[in-house]
Structure formats: structure tokens, C-alpha cells
């Protein structure tokens, strides 16, 4: 649920203007994303521009920590990374705000256009190269899959209400498959770990990648597997076709299947949870990703 500029407390608006260096005269709230706070392109009286994100612990107790983590990550990224630069931070009285360079761009069109998808593919491959080795300390993708991305295990423990017949039939095998994923996720690339259309900006012939609080260190193919279902869900090519157009390097089919199984379970399990405070639409988005990911997983495993 977006917060508009004029809905921020006076003290927060004043602190943001002080950091930018002039009075804000125009604030354009940006669509997309799930953060329950401000996400706006600001223009000041002297023509300066800044993109600002601001959240309060009253809207969601987790989001201030998420913004603090994003600030740590982005501040450490090299300048050649296609990521908006962090300019300043504000952190007082339960409010956290981040100021970034304002990119004159837009999220990819939906349905996806092939030319924009091509820019994203080239851009993400270049980004992975720039962020290898990882320029910032972070927990690993393997740790995230071992501790958090364990949806099939969660579905089994909750008796999988409403799960489809194929998943129910193969539930034990899917739990075993996802459990094997962490052992196949060694790598030293800093991953965005949440690449999707609303975290991408197209500006000219460049794709910029935004929102970095979930960043993990691991192999690049993890970002591609996370992106592919959302691309197809939003009118782009099917996941297998997208994957064929990407340089994955030396990645085994077993690693792809185990990682995809884990992501599928995550989407399906989390879509069944109550929505987080202030973020009412995220579960429907996860459910839609889960539908695409599950069909892709079935095609790859051929367990029918």
C-alpha cells in the first residue's frame, strides 16, 4: 500500500528535503512493488531530482530493517553496476528513508516486449559479471534455501490444503528434491535474489536493477530461475525458452530441477499464508508465480 509524499509526517518530509538540499515541489508516486511506504520520484524547487523510498515500522515492523539492509548493499556496489546510486539515508523514530539517483526510465511493458526482455537478459548477465566476486558481505543463497525456501516441507507439515493432485502424489519426492538444493548452490556472485519486472527500470538501451535487500551470494542461475516464471506470467516467453537464451555456464540439470522445485514450493506455500501487514497483494502475486513454476517443474521432472 503506497504512501504519498503529502502523507508523510512533517518531520520526515523536512529531513528528506534537508538531505536533498531544496524544497520538494513535485512528487510522482511510482506504481508496482509491494512495500507499504513511499516510493516516489521527487523534484525540488531548484530542479534537483531524487528517487526516495520511505517506510514506517507502524505500517509493517519488518520494512525498516529491509530498507536498512538495502542501504548497506547498494552503498557497497561498484559504480559500473547498473543500479541507482544510494545518495543518503534517514533513520529516526521508526521511519527509514533512502535517497537514490533518479533514473529517467520505466518498468518493462506488460505483456513483455522482446526488445526489452533482450535488454534485461544482456543487462543481468553483465551485472552478474560485475558483481563477481561479490563486493559486499552477505549470507549465501544456499543458506536461504536451507532455512527459508522450504515450501514443500511447509506444505507437507500443514497437510497441503488445496494442493493439486500431481503435487500431492509426489509430495515426499518434492520435499527430498528441495532439501538437496542447498548443496548445489555454491558460487561467489552477488545476486539480487528478487529479479522481476517491478524491480527493473528500462532507460534507453540500459536495464537497471533495483531493490536489493534480499541480496545473497551464490551462482547466477538462481536469479534466472526466479525471474523466468514472472516473465511468462506477465506475457513473456515460457520459462524454458527464456532459459535457453541465457548463458548459465556449467550448471547441471539436477541443480536446476532442485532449485526450481524449491522456488515452486516457496511460491505455493507462501501464497497460502496470510498477507503481511500493509502488503495485501503479495500473496496473489506469489500464487500466480506458483502456477507457472509448477507447470514448468512438472514438464522438467516428467514424473507423471
Amino acid at each position: 500500500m503506497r504512501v504519498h509524499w503529502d502523507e508523510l509526517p512533517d518531520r520526515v518530509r523536512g529531513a528528506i528535503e534537508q538531505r536533498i538540499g531544496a524544497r520538494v515541489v513535485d512528487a510522482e508516486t511510482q506504481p508496482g512493488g509491494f512495500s507499504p511506504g513511499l516510493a516516489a520520484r521527487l523534484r525540488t524547487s531548484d530542479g534537483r531530482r531524487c528517487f526516495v523510498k520511505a517506510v514506517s515500522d507502524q505500517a509493517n515492523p519488518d520494512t525498516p530493517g529491509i530498507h536498512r539492509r538495502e542501504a548497506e548493499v547498494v552503498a557497497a556496489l561498484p559504480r559500473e553496476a547498473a543500479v541507482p546510486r544510494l545518495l543518503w539515508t534517514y533513520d529516526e523514530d521508526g521511519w527509514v528513508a533512502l535517497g537514490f539517483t533518479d533514473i529517467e526510465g520505466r518498468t518493462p511493458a506488460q505483456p513483455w516486449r522482446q526488445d526489452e526482455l533482450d535488454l534485461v537478459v544482456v543487462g543481468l548477465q553483465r551485472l552478474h559479471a560485475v558483481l563477481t566476486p561479490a563486493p559486499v558481505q552477505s549470507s549465501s543463497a544456499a543458506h536461504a534455501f536451507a532455512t527459508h525456501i522450504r515450501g514443500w516441507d511447509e506444505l507437507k507439515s500443514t497437510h497441503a490444503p488445496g494442493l493439486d493432485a500431481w503435487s500431492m502424489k509426489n509430495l515426499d519426492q518434492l520435499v527430498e528434491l528441495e532439501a538437496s538444493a542447498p548443496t548445489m548452490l555454491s558460487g561467489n556472485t552477488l545476486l539480487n535474489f528478487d529479479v522481476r519486472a517491478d524491480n527493473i527500470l528500462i532507460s534507453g538501451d540500459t536495464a537497471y536493477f533495483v531493490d536489493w535487500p534480499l541480496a545473497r551470494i551464490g551462482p547466477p542461475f538462481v536469479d534466472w530461475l526466479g525471474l523466468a516464471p514472472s516473465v511468462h506470467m506477465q506475457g513473456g516467453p515460457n520459462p524454458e525458452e527464456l532459459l535457453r537464451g541465457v548463458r548459465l555456464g556449467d550448471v547441471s540439470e539436477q541443480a536446476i530441477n532442485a532449485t526450481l522445485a524449491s522456488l515452486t514450493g516457496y511460491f505455493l506455500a507462501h501464497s497460502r499464508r496470510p498477507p503481511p501487514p500493509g502488503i495485501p497483494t503479495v500473496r496473489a502475486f506469489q500464487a500466480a508465480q506458483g502456477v507457472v513454476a509448477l507447470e514448468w517443474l512438472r514438464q522438467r521432472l516428467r514424473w507423471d
Side-chain angles (χ1 to χ4, degrees), residues 25-256:
V25 295
D26 184 62
E28 183 181 349
T29 298
Q30 299 303 289
F34 301 102
S35 176
L38 175 78
R41 299 178 65 190
L42 306 183
R43 181 173 57 84
T44 64
S45 56
D46 61 359
R48 305 185 205 191
R49 291 187 174 274
C50 186
F51 174 74
V52 175
K53 301 167 67 169
V55 292
S56 164
D57 58 8
Q58 293 185 352
N60 182 297
D62 298 325
T63 50
I66 290 172
H67 276 39
R68 293 184 188 107
R69 174 55 180 162
E70 179 171 18
E72 291 175 4
V73 172
V74 175
L77 298 183
R79 286 200 165 271
E80 58 267 33
V83 177
R85 304 269 66 78
L86 179 70
L87 302 175
W88 50 260
T89 65
Y90 167 83
D91 192 342
E92 291 183 20
D93 301 324
W95 278 91
V96 176
L98 310 179
F100 297 89
T101 52
D102 182 45
I103 302 297
E104 187 69 41
R106 55 177 176 75
T107 56
Q110 293 183 23
W112 275 85
R113 290 169 23 189
Q114 188 60 49
D115 61 328
E116 293 186 347
L117 184 57
D118 291 342
L119 286 179
V120 170
V121 168
V122 170
L124 188 54
Q125 289 178 155
R126 183 180 297 123
L127 184 68
H128 286 152
V130 169
L131 299 184
T132 307
V136 60
Q137 290 188 344
S138 180
S139 61
S140 67
H143 182 263
F145 277 76
T147 60
H148 182 56
I149 306 178
R150 297 177 55 86
W152 293 112
D153 186 64
E154 178 179 331
L155 288 165
K156 183 178 179 180
S157 68
T158 58
H159 306 291
L163 202 59
D164 64 284
W166 181 89
S167 297
M168 287 296 297
K169 176 183 176 182
N170 295 291
L171 189 55
D172 289 339
Q173 289 176 271
L174 290 165
V175 170
E176 292 178 7
L177 185 58
E178 80 173 355
S180 71
T183 66
M184 306 177 196
L185 298 180
S186 61
N188 64 342
T189 300
L190 185 69
L191 311 174
N192 177 280
F193 219 61
D194 196 22
V195 182
R196 57 177 196 258
D198 58 288
N199 287 340
I200 300 169
L201 289 174
I202 303 293
S203 179
D205 60 356
T206 301
Y208 290 85
F209 299 87
V210 305
D211 287 353
W212 285 84
L214 302 182
R216 298 289 187 274
I217 297 175
F221 81 89
V222 175
D223 270 350
W224 294 111
L225 293 186
L227 171 65
S230 70
V231 168
H232 189 51
M233 178 186 79
Q234 294 170 330
N238 68 61
E240 201 66 31
E241 181 181 345
L242 175 60
L243 216 60
R244 285 196 297 268
V246 174
R247 297 192 305 268
L248 293 182
D250 186 19
V251 181
S252 70
E253 292 295 300
Q254 184 181 10
I256 292 175

